[in-house]
Amino acid sequence: MNTERLNVDPADASAFHPAILRAAEMLRAGKLVAFPTETVYGLGANALDADAVARIFEAKGRPAWDPLIVHVSDPEMARTLMVDVTEQFNRLQQAFWPGALTLLLRRSDRVPDIVTAGRSTVGLRMPSHPTAHALIRAAGLPIAAPSANLFSHTSPTTGSHVLHDLDGRIDALLDSGRATIGVESTVLDITQSPAIIYRPGSVTREQIEALIGPVAVYAHKQELALEGGVLPSPGVGLRHYAPNAKLVLVEGGLTELVQTAREQTQSVAHNRLGILVPTDWKVPELGPSIFFPWGKWRCWDELAKRLYLALRYLDDLGVEMILAPLPDHDGLGAALRDRLQKAARE
């Protein structure tokens, strides 16, 4: 298969842009199109076409028990895919849509079982990226889209990342530059009381609780995720976002990172240790290691934007091991911890 590359400057994105019209035509024809969102690149198919959605699982090597998120252009499209439109839904979508919040809702009969892994709920999101929004409007249909990478691998934040994993496996890439947030959306289940955050993201627990009151945070059920049971939500698999290199996480600050690096340089080949280094940390010479300047510590939005870029960069250099300091639990730091901990699981 030849993967067609379509380029769009996000500043010029509209439902009438020739590249977006071409991508929309392909989606309506049951084909697969990778496209940018503000979080990461997604691999899209017509969410109402079970055969088209099945091709997502085939292209990614994604197991059928892992449900997908459906992207919509407006709340009206979302309401056609759900039942029980609640006051909580209205408040959340008014506050955070378009944006990086996926809401788990009771699905309508229009949503094929394959999208939700047979579950009664569907994850819906209205992306804010102008190219994504224009594509959904041009296609005139909801788009099912997980991240546009091979299953469990590091998520893509550029078009080049998509092609690295999926060139020749998908019909087209709508390339519109780098994703601006860099980690996947927050997933919030509002069918339960209290609501449950299944995956942290840039819409933080603190922001959600300020709007709807206390929420719970999902505790991973290891046996379910490892044995292939149907997951309750997209984004809760235990091993995900992983580089090829072994990822070692360091709890603490500069002292702990330097100590761990000195220990690990003895166990890897020359120049095969990669380190994500906060740019405001004064790290001494650590022998045969490769530094990636990650961003200022505690500037979680900056670190999130560069996380997957860093992991892919060091993988491309062929390192055997990557060290990364582990962010705190607050705000977007919680999402960074989640992604790193899942990427480090063996």
Side-chain angles (χ1 to χ4, degrees), residues 250-264 275 277-278 280-284 286 297 323 325:
V250 181
E251 191 86 68
L254 173 60
T255 299
E256 290 78 11
L257 182 66
V258 170
Q259 178 181 341
T260 304
R262 285 174 172 158
E263 293 169 354
Q264 296 299 339
I275 308 175
V277 179
D280 52 341
W281 287 10
K282 296 186 182 300
V283 180
L286 292 174
W297 192 241
L323 302 186

mmCIF file with all atom_site columns, all heavy atoms in Angstrom, residues 250-264 275 277-278 280-284 286 297 323 325:
data_model
loop_
_atom_site.group_PDB
_atom_site.id
_atom_site.type_symbol
_atom_site.label_atom_id
_atom_site.label_alt_id
_atom_site.label_comp_id
_atom_site.label_asym_id
_atom_site.label_entity_id
_atom_site.label_seq_id
_atom_site.pdbx_PDB_ins_code
_atom_site.Cartn_x
_atom_site.Cartn_y
_atom_site.Cartn_z
_atom_site.occupancy
_atom_site.B_iso_or_equiv
_atom_site.pdbx_formal_charge
_atom_site.auth_seq_id
_atom_site.auth_comp_id
_atom_site.auth_asym_id
_atom_site.auth_atom_id
_atom_site.pdbx_PDB_model_num
ATOM 1   N N   . VAL A 1 250 ? 13.416 7.542  37.556 1.00 0.00 ? 250 VAL A N   1
ATOM 2   C CA  . VAL A 1 250 ? 14.144 7.978  38.743 1.00 0.00 ? 250 VAL A CA  1
ATOM 3   C C   . VAL A 1 250 ? 13.250 8.899  39.556 1.00 0.00 ? 250 VAL A C   1
ATOM 4   O O   . VAL A 1 250 ? 12.887 9.991  39.097 1.00 0.00 ? 250 VAL A O   1
ATOM 5   C CB  . VAL A 1 250 ? 15.445 8.708  38.365 1.00 0.00 ? 250 VAL A CB  1
ATOM 6   C CG1 . VAL A 1 250 ? 16.196 9.136  39.622 1.00 0.00 ? 250 VAL A CG1 1
ATOM 7   C CG2 . VAL A 1 250 ? 16.320 7.816  37.490 1.00 0.00 ? 250 VAL A CG2 1
ATOM 8   N N   . GLU A 1 251 ? 12.877 8.442  40.747 1.00 0.00 ? 251 GLU A N   1
ATOM 9   C CA  . GLU A 1 251 ? 12.090 9.269  41.659 1.00 0.00 ? 251 GLU A CA  1
ATOM 10  C C   . GLU A 1 251 ? 13.045 10.163 42.431 1.00 0.00 ? 251 GLU A C   1
ATOM 11  O O   . GLU A 1 251 ? 14.038 9.700  42.994 1.00 0.00 ? 251 GLU A O   1
ATOM 12  C CB  . GLU A 1 251 ? 11.322 8.376  42.634 1.00 0.00 ? 251 GLU A CB  1
ATOM 13  C CG  . GLU A 1 251 ? 10.275 9.100  43.458 1.00 0.00 ? 251 GLU A CG  1
ATOM 14  C CD  . GLU A 1 251 ? 8.930  9.228  42.770 1.00 0.00 ? 251 GLU A CD  1
ATOM 15  O OE1 . GLU A 1 251 ? 8.249  8.203  42.572 1.00 0.00 ? 251 GLU A OE1 1
ATOM 16  O OE2 . GLU A 1 251 ? 8.566  10.380 42.447 1.00 0.00 ? 251 GLU A OE2 1
ATOM 17  N N   . GLY A 1 252 ? 12.761 11.462 42.436 1.00 0.00 ? 252 GLY A N   1
ATOM 18  C CA  . GLY A 1 252 ? 13.645 12.380 43.148 1.00 0.00 ? 252 GLY A CA  1
ATOM 19  C C   . GLY A 1 252 ? 14.141 13.481 42.233 1.00 0.00 ? 252 GLY A C   1
ATOM 20  O O   . GLY A 1 252 ? 13.527 13.782 41.200 1.00 0.00 ? 252 GLY A O   1
ATOM 21  N N   . GLY A 1 253 ? 15.284 14.061 42.561 1.00 0.00 ? 253 GLY A N   1
ATOM 22  C CA  . GLY A 1 253 ? 15.802 15.197 41.811 1.00 0.00 ? 253 GLY A CA  1
ATOM 23  C C   . GLY A 1 253 ? 17.133 14.920 41.148 1.00 0.00 ? 253 GLY A C   1
ATOM 24  O O   . GLY A 1 253 ? 17.447 13.779 40.772 1.00 0.00 ? 253 GLY A O   1
ATOM 25  N N   . LEU A 1 254 ? 17.930 15.960 41.020 1.00 0.00 ? 254 LEU A N   1
ATOM 26  C CA  . LEU A 1 254 ? 19.205 15.872 40.315 1.00 0.00 ? 254 LEU A CA  1
ATOM 27  C C   . LEU A 1 254 ? 20.134 14.848 40.956 1.00 0.00 ? 254 LEU A C   1
ATOM 28  O O   . LEU A 1 254 ? 20.773 14.056 40.251 1.00 0.00 ? 254 LEU A O   1
ATOM 29  C CB  . LEU A 1 254 ? 19.868 17.261 40.308 1.00 0.00 ? 254 LEU A CB  1
ATOM 30  C CG  . LEU A 1 254 ? 21.290 17.339 39.767 1.00 0.00 ? 254 LEU A CG  1
ATOM 31  C CD1 . LEU A 1 254 ? 21.362 16.867 38.330 1.00 0.00 ? 254 LEU A CD1 1
ATOM 32  C CD2 . LEU A 1 254 ? 21.820 18.776 39.895 1.00 0.00 ? 254 LEU A CD2 1
ATOM 33  N N   . THR A 1 255 ? 20.228 14.842 42.271 1.00 0.00 ? 255 THR A N   1
ATOM 34  C CA  . THR A 1 255 ? 21.143 13.920 42.951 1.00 0.00 ? 255 THR A CA  1
ATOM 35  C C   . THR A 1 255 ? 20.819 12.476 42.612 1.00 0.00 ? 255 THR A C   1
ATOM 36  O O   . THR A 1 255 ? 21.715 11.671 42.286 1.00 0.00 ? 255 THR A O   1
ATOM 37  C CB  . THR A 1 255 ? 21.073 14.121 44.474 1.00 0.00 ? 255 THR A CB  1
ATOM 38  O OG1 . THR A 1 255 ? 21.461 15.466 44.777 1.00 0.00 ? 255 THR A OG1 1
ATOM 39  C CG2 . THR A 1 255 ? 22.008 13.156 45.191 1.00 0.00 ? 255 THR A CG2 1
ATOM 40  N N   . GLU A 1 256 ? 19.537 12.128 42.658 1.00 0.00 ? 256 GLU A N   1
ATOM 41  C CA  . GLU A 1 256 ? 19.124 10.751 42.376 1.00 0.00 ? 256 GLU A CA  1
ATOM 42  C C   . GLU A 1 256 ? 19.360 10.391 40.910 1.00 0.00 ? 256 GLU A C   1
ATOM 43  O O   . GLU A 1 256 ? 19.749 9.262  40.583 1.00 0.00 ? 256 GLU A O   1
ATOM 44  C CB  . GLU A 1 256 ? 17.656 10.562 42.741 1.00 0.00 ? 256 GLU A CB  1
ATOM 45  C CG  . GLU A 1 256 ? 17.363 10.587 44.233 1.00 0.00 ? 256 GLU A CG  1
ATOM 46  C CD  . GLU A 1 256 ? 17.344 11.990 44.824 1.00 0.00 ? 256 GLU A CD  1
ATOM 47  O OE1 . GLU A 1 256 ? 17.349 12.981 44.040 1.00 0.00 ? 256 GLU A OE1 1
ATOM 48  O OE2 . GLU A 1 256 ? 17.324 12.105 46.064 1.00 0.00 ? 256 GLU A OE2 1
ATOM 49  N N   . LEU A 1 257 ? 19.122 11.354 39.991 1.00 0.00 ? 257 LEU A N   1
ATOM 50  C CA  . LEU A 1 257 ? 19.345 11.083 38.575 1.00 0.00 ? 257 LEU A CA  1
ATOM 51  C C   . LEU A 1 257 ? 20.822 10.817 38.305 1.00 0.00 ? 257 LEU A C   1
ATOM 52  O O   . LEU A 1 257 ? 21.176 9.869  37.591 1.00 0.00 ? 257 LEU A O   1
ATOM 53  C CB  . LEU A 1 257 ? 18.859 12.260 37.727 1.00 0.00 ? 257 LEU A CB  1
ATOM 54  C CG  . LEU A 1 257 ? 19.001 12.084 36.220 1.00 0.00 ? 257 LEU A CG  1
ATOM 55  C CD1 . LEU A 1 257 ? 18.107 10.973 35.710 1.00 0.00 ? 257 LEU A CD1 1
ATOM 56  C CD2 . LEU A 1 257 ? 18.691 13.395 35.485 1.00 0.00 ? 257 LEU A CD2 1
ATOM 57  N N   . VAL A 1 258 ? 21.704 11.641 38.867 1.00 0.00 ? 258 VAL A N   1
ATOM 58  C CA  . VAL A 1 258 ? 23.145 11.467 38.647 1.00 0.00 ? 258 VAL A CA  1
ATOM 59  C C   . VAL A 1 258 ? 23.615 10.144 39.234 1.00 0.00 ? 258 VAL A C   1
ATOM 60  O O   . VAL A 1 258 ? 24.393 9.403  38.607 1.00 0.00 ? 258 VAL A O   1
ATOM 61  C CB  . VAL A 1 258 ? 23.920 12.653 39.266 1.00 0.00 ? 258 VAL A CB  1
ATOM 62  C CG1 . VAL A 1 258 ? 25.418 12.374 39.268 1.00 0.00 ? 258 VAL A CG1 1
ATOM 63  C CG2 . VAL A 1 258 ? 23.619 13.936 38.497 1.00 0.00 ? 258 VAL A CG2 1
ATOM 64  N N   . GLN A 1 259 ? 23.145 9.813  40.429 1.00 0.00 ? 259 GLN A N   1
ATOM 65  C CA  . GLN A 1 259 ? 23.545 8.549  41.060 1.00 0.00 ? 259 GLN A CA  1
ATOM 66  C C   . GLN A 1 259 ? 23.116 7.356  40.218 1.00 0.00 ? 259 GLN A C   1
ATOM 67  O O   . GLN A 1 259 ? 23.897 6.415  39.981 1.00 0.00 ? 259 GLN A O   1
ATOM 68  C CB  . GLN A 1 259 ? 22.934 8.446  42.453 1.00 0.00 ? 259 GLN A CB  1
ATOM 69  C CG  . GLN A 1 259 ? 23.264 7.135  43.172 1.00 0.00 ? 259 GLN A CG  1
ATOM 70  C CD  . GLN A 1 259 ? 22.611 7.055  44.544 1.00 0.00 ? 259 GLN A CD  1
ATOM 71  O OE1 . GLN A 1 259 ? 22.206 8.062  45.119 1.00 0.00 ? 259 GLN A OE1 1
ATOM 72  N NE2 . GLN A 1 259 ? 22.506 5.838  45.069 1.00 0.00 ? 259 GLN A NE2 1
ATOM 73  N N   . THR A 1 260 ? 21.862 7.383  39.727 1.00 0.00 ? 260 THR A N   1
ATOM 74  C CA  . THR A 1 260 ? 21.372 6.270  38.898 1.00 0.00 ? 260 THR A CA  1
ATOM 75  C C   . THR A 1 260 ? 22.140 6.185  37.593 1.00 0.00 ? 260 THR A C   1
ATOM 76  O O   . THR A 1 260 ? 22.489 5.089  37.132 1.00 0.00 ? 260 THR A O   1
ATOM 77  C CB  . THR A 1 260 ? 19.874 6.449  38.613 1.00 0.00 ? 260 THR A CB  1
ATOM 78  O OG1 . THR A 1 260 ? 19.168 6.564  39.848 1.00 0.00 ? 260 THR A OG1 1
ATOM 79  C CG2 . THR A 1 260 ? 19.327 5.273  37.815 1.00 0.00 ? 260 THR A CG2 1
ATOM 80  N N   . ALA A 1 261 ? 22.436 7.329  36.995 1.00 0.00 ? 261 ALA A N   1
ATOM 81  C CA  . ALA A 1 261 ? 23.185 7.330  35.731 1.00 0.00 ? 261 ALA A CA  1
ATOM 82  C C   . ALA A 1 261 ? 24.567 6.724  35.915 1.00 0.00 ? 261 ALA A C   1
ATOM 83  O O   . ALA A 1 261 ? 25.029 5.935  35.076 1.00 0.00 ? 261 ALA A O   1
ATOM 84  C CB  . ALA A 1 261 ? 23.287 8.753  35.195 1.00 0.00 ? 261 ALA A CB  1
ATOM 85  N N   . ARG A 1 262 ? 25.242 7.061  37.001 1.00 0.00 ? 262 ARG A N   1
ATOM 86  C CA  . ARG A 1 262 ? 26.571 6.509  37.237 1.00 0.00 ? 262 ARG A CA  1
ATOM 87  C C   . ARG A 1 262 ? 26.520 5.005  37.459 1.00 0.00 ? 262 ARG A C   1
ATOM 88  O O   . ARG A 1 262 ? 27.425 4.275  37.046 1.00 0.00 ? 262 ARG A O   1
ATOM 89  C CB  . ARG A 1 262 ? 27.207 7.222  38.431 1.00 0.00 ? 262 ARG A CB  1
ATOM 90  C CG  . ARG A 1 262 ? 27.674 8.629  38.086 1.00 0.00 ? 262 ARG A CG  1
ATOM 91  C CD  . ARG A 1 262 ? 28.175 9.402  39.272 1.00 0.00 ? 262 ARG A CD  1
ATOM 92  N NE  . ARG A 1 262 ? 28.778 10.666 38.834 1.00 0.00 ? 262 ARG A NE  1
ATOM 93  C CZ  . ARG A 1 262 ? 28.933 11.725 39.615 1.00 0.00 ? 262 ARG A CZ  1
ATOM 94  N NH1 . ARG A 1 262 ? 28.538 11.672 40.893 1.00 0.00 ? 262 ARG A NH1 1
ATOM 95  N NH2 . ARG A 1 262 ? 29.483 12.825 39.138 1.00 0.00 ? 262 ARG A NH2 1
ATOM 96  N N   . GLU A 1 263 ? 25.472 4.537  38.097 1.00 0.00 ? 263 GLU A N   1
ATOM 97  C CA  . GLU A 1 263 ? 25.310 3.094  38.284 1.00 0.00 ? 263 GLU A CA  1
ATOM 98  C C   . GLU A 1 263 ? 25.053 2.389  36.955 1.00 0.00 ? 263 GLU A C   1
ATOM 99  O O   . GLU A 1 263 ? 25.607 1.317  36.685 1.00 0.00 ? 263 GLU A O   1
ATOM 100 C CB  . GLU A 1 263 ? 24.153 2.826  39.249 1.00 0.00 ? 263 GLU A CB  1
ATOM 101 C CG  . GLU A 1 263 ? 24.408 3.295  40.684 1.00 0.00 ? 263 GLU A CG  1
ATOM 102 C CD  . GLU A 1 263 ? 23.151 3.251  41.528 1.00 0.00 ? 263 GLU A CD  1
ATOM 103 O OE1 . GLU A 1 263 ? 22.069 2.965  40.969 1.00 0.00 ? 263 GLU A OE1 1
ATOM 104 O OE2 . GLU A 1 263 ? 23.243 3.523  42.748 1.00 0.00 ? 263 GLU A OE2 1
ATOM 105 N N   . GLN A 1 264 ? 24.227 2.997  36.104 1.00 0.00 ? 264 GLN A N   1
ATOM 106 C CA  . GLN A 1 264 ? 23.808 2.322  34.881 1.00 0.00 ? 264 GLN A CA  1
ATOM 107 C C   . GLN A 1 264 ? 24.851 2.389  33.773 1.00 0.00 ? 264 GLN A C   1
ATOM 108 O O   . GLN A 1 264 ? 24.823 1.557  32.864 1.00 0.00 ? 264 GLN A O   1
ATOM 109 C CB  . GLN A 1 264 ? 22.481 2.925  34.379 1.00 0.00 ? 264 GLN A CB  1
ATOM 110 C CG  . GLN A 1 264 ? 21.309 2.729  35.325 1.00 0.00 ? 264 GLN A CG  1
ATOM 111 C CD  . GLN A 1 264 ? 20.980 1.264  35.578 1.00 0.00 ? 264 GLN A CD  1
ATOM 112 O OE1 . GLN A 1 264 ? 21.347 0.382  34.786 1.00 0.00 ? 264 GLN A OE1 1
ATOM 113 N NE2 . GLN A 1 264 ? 20.309 0.981  36.687 1.00 0.00 ? 264 GLN A NE2 1
ATOM 114 N N   . ILE A 1 275 ? 19.595 9.917  28.456 1.00 0.00 ? 275 ILE A N   1
ATOM 115 C CA  . ILE A 1 275 ? 19.063 10.535 29.667 1.00 0.00 ? 275 ILE A CA  1
ATOM 116 C C   . ILE A 1 275 ? 18.209 11.737 29.288 1.00 0.00 ? 275 ILE A C   1
ATOM 117 O O   . ILE A 1 275 ? 18.655 12.625 28.557 1.00 0.00 ? 275 ILE A O   1
ATOM 118 C CB  . ILE A 1 275 ? 20.192 10.995 30.623 1.00 0.00 ? 275 ILE A CB  1
ATOM 119 C CG1 . ILE A 1 275 ? 21.178 9.854  30.894 1.00 0.00 ? 275 ILE A CG1 1
ATOM 120 C CG2 . ILE A 1 275 ? 19.600 11.511 31.935 1.00 0.00 ? 275 ILE A CG2 1
ATOM 121 C CD1 . ILE A 1 275 ? 22.384 10.270 31.725 1.00 0.00 ? 275 ILE A CD1 1
ATOM 122 N N   . VAL A 1 277 ? 17.132 15.020 30.394 1.00 0.00 ? 277 VAL A N   1
ATOM 123 C CA  . VAL A 1 277 ? 17.712 15.940 31.367 1.00 0.00 ? 277 VAL A CA  1
ATOM 124 C C   . VAL A 1 277 ? 16.936 17.258 31.372 1.00 0.00 ? 277 VAL A C   1
ATOM 125 O O   . VAL A 1 277 ? 16.864 17.933 30.336 1.00 0.00 ? 277 VAL A O   1
ATOM 126 C CB  . VAL A 1 277 ? 19.188 16.223 31.044 1.00 0.00 ? 277 VAL A CB  1
ATOM 127 C CG1 . VAL A 1 277 ? 19.770 17.205 32.050 1.00 0.00 ? 277 VAL A CG1 1
ATOM 128 C CG2 . VAL A 1 277 ? 19.993 14.934 31.044 1.00 0.00 ? 277 VAL A CG2 1
ATOM 129 N N   . PRO A 1 278 ? 16.339 17.637 32.501 1.00 0.00 ? 278 PRO A N   1
ATOM 130 C CA  . PRO A 1 278 ? 15.735 18.971 32.599 1.00 0.00 ? 278 PRO A CA  1
ATOM 131 C C   . PRO A 1 278 ? 16.775 20.039 32.295 1.00 0.00 ? 278 PRO A C   1
ATOM 132 O O   . PRO A 1 278 ? 17.919 19.968 32.764 1.00 0.00 ? 278 PRO A O   1
ATOM 133 C CB  . PRO A 1 278 ? 15.245 19.036 34.046 1.00 0.00 ? 278 PRO A CB  1
ATOM 134 C CG  . PRO A 1 278 ? 14.997 17.606 34.414 1.00 0.00 ? 278 PRO A CG  1
ATOM 135 C CD  . PRO A 1 278 ? 16.094 16.841 33.723 1.00 0.00 ? 278 PRO A CD  1
ATOM 136 N N   . ASP A 1 280 ? 17.162 23.010 33.277 1.00 0.00 ? 280 ASP A N   1
ATOM 137 C CA  . ASP A 1 280 ? 17.618 23.855 34.379 1.00 0.00 ? 280 ASP A CA  1
ATOM 138 C C   . ASP A 1 280 ? 18.343 23.062 35.464 1.00 0.00 ? 280 ASP A C   1
ATOM 139 O O   . ASP A 1 280 ? 18.588 23.579 36.553 1.00 0.00 ? 280 ASP A O   1
ATOM 140 C CB  . ASP A 1 280 ? 16.447 24.640 34.979 1.00 0.00 ? 280 ASP A CB  1
ATOM 141 C CG  . ASP A 1 280 ? 15.271 23.765 35.364 1.00 0.00 ? 280 ASP A CG  1
ATOM 142 O OD1 . ASP A 1 280 ? 15.185 22.629 34.861 1.00 0.00 ? 280 ASP A OD1 1
ATOM 143 O OD2 . ASP A 1 280 ? 14.427 24.214 36.155 1.00 0.00 ? 280 ASP A OD2 1
ATOM 144 N N   . TRP A 1 281 ? 18.697 21.804 35.181 1.00 0.00 ? 281 TRP A N   1
ATOM 145 C CA  . TRP A 1 281 ? 19.499 21.004 36.110 1.00 0.00 ? 281 TRP A CA  1
ATOM 146 C C   . TRP A 1 281 ? 20.952 21.008 35.631 1.00 0.00 ? 281 TRP A C   1
ATOM 147 O O   . TRP A 1 281 ? 21.215 20.748 34.454 1.00 0.00 ? 281 TRP A O   1
ATOM 148 C CB  . TRP A 1 281 ? 18.996 19.561 36.164 1.00 0.00 ? 281 TRP A CB  1
ATOM 149 C CG  . TRP A 1 281 ? 17.693 19.389 36.900 1.00 0.00 ? 281 TRP A CG  1
ATOM 150 C CD1 . TRP A 1 281 ? 16.854 20.367 37.332 1.00 0.00 ? 281 TRP A CD1 1
ATOM 151 C CD2 . TRP A 1 281 ? 17.092 18.147 37.255 1.00 0.00 ? 281 TRP A CD2 1
ATOM 152 N NE1 . TRP A 1 281 ? 15.749 19.814 37.945 1.00 0.00 ? 281 TRP A NE1 1
ATOM 153 C CE2 . TRP A 1 281 ? 15.882 18.444 37.921 1.00 0.00 ? 281 TRP A CE2 1
ATOM 154 C CE3 . TRP A 1 281 ? 17.449 16.815 37.092 1.00 0.00 ? 281 TRP A CE3 1
ATOM 155 C CZ2 . TRP A 1 281 ? 15.020 17.462 38.410 1.00 0.00 ? 281 TRP A CZ2 1
ATOM 156 C CZ3 . TRP A 1 281 ? 16.600 15.821 37.577 1.00 0.00 ? 281 TRP A CZ3 1
ATOM 157 C CH2 . TRP A 1 281 ? 15.402 16.147 38.237 1.00 0.00 ? 281 TRP A CH2 1
ATOM 158 N N   . LYS A 1 282 ? 21.870 21.298 36.521 1.00 0.00 ? 282 LYS A N   1
ATOM 159 C CA  . LYS A 1 282 ? 23.295 21.314 36.173 1.00 0.00 ? 282 LYS A CA  1
ATOM 160 C C   . LYS A 1 282 ? 23.862 19.909 36.378 1.00 0.00 ? 282 LYS A C   1
ATOM 161 O O   . LYS A 1 282 ? 24.331 19.558 37.459 1.00 0.00 ? 282 LYS A O   1
ATOM 162 C CB  . LYS A 1 282 ? 24.034 22.347 37.026 1.00 0.00 ? 282 LYS A CB  1
ATOM 163 C CG  . LYS A 1 282 ? 23.591 23.783 36.771 1.00 0.00 ? 282 LYS A CG  1
ATOM 164 C CD  . LYS A 1 282 ? 24.438 24.773 37.533 1.00 0.00 ? 282 LYS A CD  1
ATOM 165 C CE  . LYS A 1 282 ? 23.948 26.212 37.315 1.00 0.00 ? 282 LYS A CE  1
ATOM 166 N NZ  . LYS A 1 282 ? 23.987 26.601 35.893 1.00 0.00 ? 282 LYS A NZ  1
ATOM 167 N N   . VAL A 1 283 ? 23.808 19.112 35.318 1.00 0.00 ? 283 VAL A N   1
ATOM 168 C CA  . VAL A 1 283 ? 24.238 17.722 35.386 1.00 0.00 ? 283 VAL A CA  1
ATOM 169 C C   . VAL A 1 283 ? 25.725 17.635 35.062 1.00 0.00 ? 283 VAL A C   1
ATOM 170 O O   . VAL A 1 283 ? 26.174 18.160 34.027 1.00 0.00 ? 283 VAL A O   1
ATOM 171 C CB  . VAL A 1 283 ? 23.428 16.857 34.402 1.00 0.00 ? 283 VAL A CB  1
ATOM 172 C CG1 . VAL A 1 283 ? 23.874 15.405 34.459 1.00 0.00 ? 283 VAL A CG1 1
ATOM 173 C CG2 . VAL A 1 283 ? 21.936 16.971 34.706 1.00 0.00 ? 283 VAL A CG2 1
ATOM 174 N N   . PRO A 1 284 ? 26.509 16.974 35.901 1.00 0.00 ? 284 PRO A N   1
ATOM 175 C CA  . PRO A 1 284 ? 27.943 16.838 35.623 1.00 0.00 ? 284 PRO A CA  1
ATOM 176 C C   . PRO A 1 284 ? 28.200 15.846 34.491 1.00 0.00 ? 284 PRO A C   1
ATOM 177 O O   . PRO A 1 284 ? 27.291 15.163 34.015 1.00 0.00 ? 284 PRO A O   1
ATOM 178 C CB  . PRO A 1 284 ? 28.494 16.312 36.949 1.00 0.00 ? 284 PRO A CB  1
ATOM 179 C CG  . PRO A 1 284 ? 27.363 15.555 37.549 1.00 0.00 ? 284 PRO A CG  1
ATOM 180 C CD  . PRO A 1 284 ? 26.115 16.314 37.164 1.00 0.00 ? 284 PRO A CD  1
ATOM 181 N N   . LEU A 1 286 ? 28.890 12.578 32.745 1.00 0.00 ? 286 LEU A N   1
ATOM 182 C CA  . LEU A 1 286 ? 28.481 11.242 33.184 1.00 0.00 ? 286 LEU A CA  1
ATOM 183 C C   . LEU A 1 286 ? 29.031 10.146 32.288 1.00 0.00 ? 286 LEU A C   1
ATOM 184 O O   . LEU A 1 286 ? 28.427 9.078  32.167 1.00 0.00 ? 286 LEU A O   1
ATOM 185 C CB  . LEU A 1 286 ? 26.949 11.159 33.245 1.00 0.00 ? 286 LEU A CB  1
ATOM 186 C CG  . LEU A 1 286 ? 26.290 12.002 34.343 1.00 0.00 ? 286 LEU A CG  1
ATOM 187 C CD1 . LEU A 1 286 ? 24.780 11.959 34.218 1.00 0.00 ? 286 LEU A CD1 1
ATOM 188 C CD2 . LEU A 1 286 ? 26.723 11.511 35.721 1.00 0.00 ? 286 LEU A CD2 1
ATOM 189 N N   . TRP A 1 297 ? 12.317 21.867 34.490 1.00 0.00 ? 297 TRP A N   1
ATOM 190 C CA  . TRP A 1 297 ? 11.631 21.004 35.450 1.00 0.00 ? 297 TRP A CA  1
ATOM 191 C C   . TRP A 1 297 ? 10.437 21.737 36.052 1.00 0.00 ? 297 TRP A C   1
ATOM 192 O O   . TRP A 1 297 ? 10.504 22.926 36.363 1.00 0.00 ? 297 TRP A O   1
ATOM 193 C CB  . TRP A 1 297 ? 12.595 20.559 36.533 1.00 0.00 ? 297 TRP A CB  1
ATOM 194 C CG  . TRP A 1 297 ? 12.053 19.451 37.381 1.00 0.00 ? 297 TRP A CG  1
ATOM 195 C CD1 . TRP A 1 297 ? 11.827 19.477 38.712 1.00 0.00 ? 297 TRP A CD1 1
ATOM 196 C CD2 . TRP A 1 297 ? 11.699 18.127 36.942 1.00 0.00 ? 297 TRP A CD2 1
ATOM 197 N NE1 . TRP A 1 297 ? 11.339 18.262 39.155 1.00 0.00 ? 297 TRP A NE1 1
ATOM 198 C CE2 . TRP A 1 297 ? 11.249 17.418 38.074 1.00 0.00 ? 297 TRP A CE2 1
ATOM 199 C CE3 . TRP A 1 297 ? 11.700 17.494 35.704 1.00 0.00 ? 297 TRP A CE3 1
ATOM 200 C CZ2 . TRP A 1 297 ? 10.810 16.104 38.005 1.00 0.00 ? 297 TRP A CZ2 1
ATOM 201 C CZ3 . TRP A 1 297 ? 11.269 16.183 35.636 1.00 0.00 ? 297 TRP A CZ3 1
ATOM 202 C CH2 . TRP A 1 297 ? 10.831 15.507 36.772 1.00 0.00 ? 297 TRP A CH2 1
ATOM 203 N N   . LEU A 1 323 ? 17.109 6.867  30.866 1.00 0.00 ? 323 LEU A N   1
ATOM 204 C CA  . LEU A 1 323 ? 16.770 7.300  32.216 1.00 0.00 ? 323 LEU A CA  1
ATOM 205 C C   . LEU A 1 323 ? 15.892 8.537  32.138 1.00 0.00 ? 323 LEU A C   1
ATOM 206 O O   . LEU A 1 323 ? 16.142 9.432  31.321 1.00 0.00 ? 323 LEU A O   1
ATOM 207 C CB  . LEU A 1 323 ? 18.025 7.649  33.019 1.00 0.00 ? 323 LEU A CB  1
ATOM 208 C CG  . LEU A 1 323 ? 19.094 6.579  33.198 1.00 0.00 ? 323 LEU A CG  1
ATOM 209 C CD1 . LEU A 1 323 ? 20.181 7.097  34.147 1.00 0.00 ? 323 LEU A CD1 1
ATOM 210 C CD2 . LEU A 1 323 ? 18.494 5.296  33.736 1.00 0.00 ? 323 LEU A CD2 1
ATOM 211 N N   . PRO A 1 325 ? 13.762 11.300 34.909 1.00 0.00 ? 325 PRO A N   1
ATOM 212 C CA  . PRO A 1 325 ? 13.235 11.672 36.226 1.00 0.00 ? 325 PRO A CA  1
ATOM 213 C C   . PRO A 1 325 ? 11.712 11.644 36.192 1.00 0.00 ? 325 PRO A C   1
ATOM 214 O O   . PRO A 1 325 ? 11.100 11.958 35.174 1.00 0.00 ? 325 PRO A O   1
ATOM 215 C CB  . PRO A 1 325 ? 13.782 13.092 36.435 1.00 0.00 ? 325 PRO A CB  1
ATOM 216 C CG  . PRO A 1 325 ? 14.062 13.611 35.067 1.00 0.00 ? 325 PRO A CG  1
ATOM 217 C CD  . PRO A 1 325 ? 14.409 12.425 34.222 1.00 0.00 ? 325 PRO A CD  1
#
